[in-house]
Amino acid sequence: MSAGRWGLAAALVWGLGSGCGGGGTADERLAASADGRCGALDGSAAAVPCWTGQALERAGDGDTAGALAACAAIVPALWRDECHFQAAERLGLAGAVAGAVQACAAAGRFTDFCGLHLAWWARPFPLSVRPGDPAAPAAVAAELARMAALAPDGPTAALLAASVWFDLYYGSGDADPAAAQAADSPLARTAWAHEAVRLGGDRGAWSAPIEGTPLAPRCWRGLVVDPVPDPPGLAQVPLVHGGTRLVGQTPEEDREIALIEARFFHSGQRPALVELDALRALLLDPRPALRGTAARVLARSRGAGDPLVQVLLRGAPATAADLRAVLSTPPVDWAADPRCHGEDDE
């Protein structure tokens, strides 16, 4: 369900009666007018866009309490969840990240996607250092601490942490591995791998910086994968563009996994990046996370009709169940969000 679907309807309803007078400040009069008007519409189809419009208005001002109260007044659960989803995005763009996290937590069936959208484009991007800057590790650590205080636990917290690393690397035009090496973190390796692959220099890039053309903030492109159930017994981390990736048992294995997933993300633009022969060879690798990653990416790239994917689906129950989950949420080619500024990299 796309954010902003109620935008026009909400704007039309919002315009009715907005010139009411009364005591208090103009802001207080506006809020009181909206409360009365939306309350009078209860039971009618117009109540949903009215309350949603008020919630987005309050969220745009960074007013978490006002936004949550407006959404809570919506009776149909589906549209109440959607209101919280949209309000979270608007709060995030207004800089009220803690409020955005609260709204995501109230988004019901859309909570996972809400956290994904918040990490993808709605979190303010305050980092101004480049990956090779000696100050980068400290800047990232400070931002990670700020995000952890706002979202102490849960999937949204993990996505926000991932977004901090993506903020540093992806689109920077700088795939210097120094900050990721210092952090020794799967989230850092993921972000580094995405920028290294985007710049076309992921081969051997871990030992030397790579530079290229930067992207405007939030102008990310690639294959988006919806979240799938966790495969049993294997550690994983979230991907800012959707889904998860498995974590290797050593930094070297984990870096290889991060590069495979990054190539898949970019494969919608450059199909040759998904090297099918290499993936097939990795299916015999003794390392379970690397083997599982190859199976996942092969299934996503080739689909259930591929003969080798069919063989995998008849294999070990745990692997087959994971692949069925992967195949049930096929990737989509996602273009640059209209809210980004500037040109994309294509």
Side-chain angles (χ1 to χ4, degrees):
M1 188 173 301
S2 62
R5 64 181 295 166
W6 285 108
L8 178 60
L12 291 172
V13 176
W14 183 258
L16 299 176
S18 59
C20 298
T25 66
D27 191 57
E28 289 169 344
R29 290 197 303 272
L30 184 62
S33 172
D35 287 342
R37 184 174 67 253
C38 295
L41 294 171
D42 281 350
S44 72
V48 171
C50 185
W51 284 117
T52 301
Q54 182 182 349
L56 296 184
E57 182 80 12
R58 310 315 295 171
D61 293 335
D63 178 4
T64 298
L68 294 179
C71 287
I74 296 174
V75 175
L78 173 67
W79 300 117
R80 186 166 61 247
D81 292 348
E82 170 74 1
C83 179
H84 283 113
F85 188 168
Q86 293 189 47
E89 292 179 328
R90 192 71 62 89
L91 285 164
L93 286 173
V97 180
V101 171
Q102 290 182 51
C104 277
R109 71 205 73 194
F110 303 128
T111 292
D112 286 344
F113 297 102
C114 184
L116 190 63
H117 279 216
L118 185 60
W120 180 273
W121 62 267
R123 184 184 73 81
F125 291 80
L127 296 180
S128 58
V129 294
R130 288 171 61 84
D133 191 322
V140 169
E143 182 65 0
L144 286 172
R146 188 171 81 90
M147 291 298 105
L150 297 175
D153 197 8
T156 299
L159 281 164
L160 287 172
S163 77
V164 173
W165 281 106
F166 265 74
D167 178 19
L168 177 70
Y169 272 106
Y170 196 72
S172 69
D174 182 1
D176 190 317
Q181 289 171 345
D184 191 23
S185 155
L187 296 179
R189 285 187 283 267
T190 297
W192 164 81
H194 274 65
E195 185 64 357
V197 169
R198 187 186 75 83
L199 297 177
D202 58 294
R203 302 296 183 189
W206 193 245
S207 60
I210 300 173
E211 294 189 352
T213 304
L215 281 177
R218 307 186 185 103
C219 290
W220 303 354
R221 295 179 67 106
L223 293 174
V224 177
V225 181
D226 290 343
V228 298
D230 298 347
L234 294 176
Q236 57 191 314
V237 291
L239 296 170
V240 175
H241 49 77
T244 60
R245 78 164 179 86
L246 302 178
V247 177
Q249 293 185 339
T250 67
E252 293 74 21
E253 179 191 357
D254 192 59
R255 186 172 70 250
E256 188 171 355
I257 291 171
L259 285 168
I260 292 171
E261 290 284 2
R263 292 185 196 114
F264 172 73
F265 175 74
H266 288 275
S267 65
Q269 312 301 319
R270 290 170 281 177
L273 284 177
V274 178
E275 299 150 346
L276 298 178
D277 289 342
L279 291 177
R280 292 186 180 103
L282 287 173
L283 294 174
L284 301 176
D285 196 283
R287 295 167 290 184
L290 197 52
R291 190 168 64 244
T293 297
R296 278 182 159 199
V297 173
L298 183 67
R300 288 168 177 161
S301 301
R302 305 297 291 176
D306 183 82
L308 185 51
V309 175
Q310 285 291 313
V311 171
L312 293 171
L313 287 169
R314 293 193 296 269
T319 301
D322 182 42
L323 290 188
R324 280 194 292 271
V326 167
L327 288 166
S328 70
T329 55
V332 294
D333 192 4
W334 189 87
D337 193 286
R339 285 158 288 214
C340 72
H341 305 290
E343 299 297 326
D344 57 48
D345 63 333
E346 293 300 314

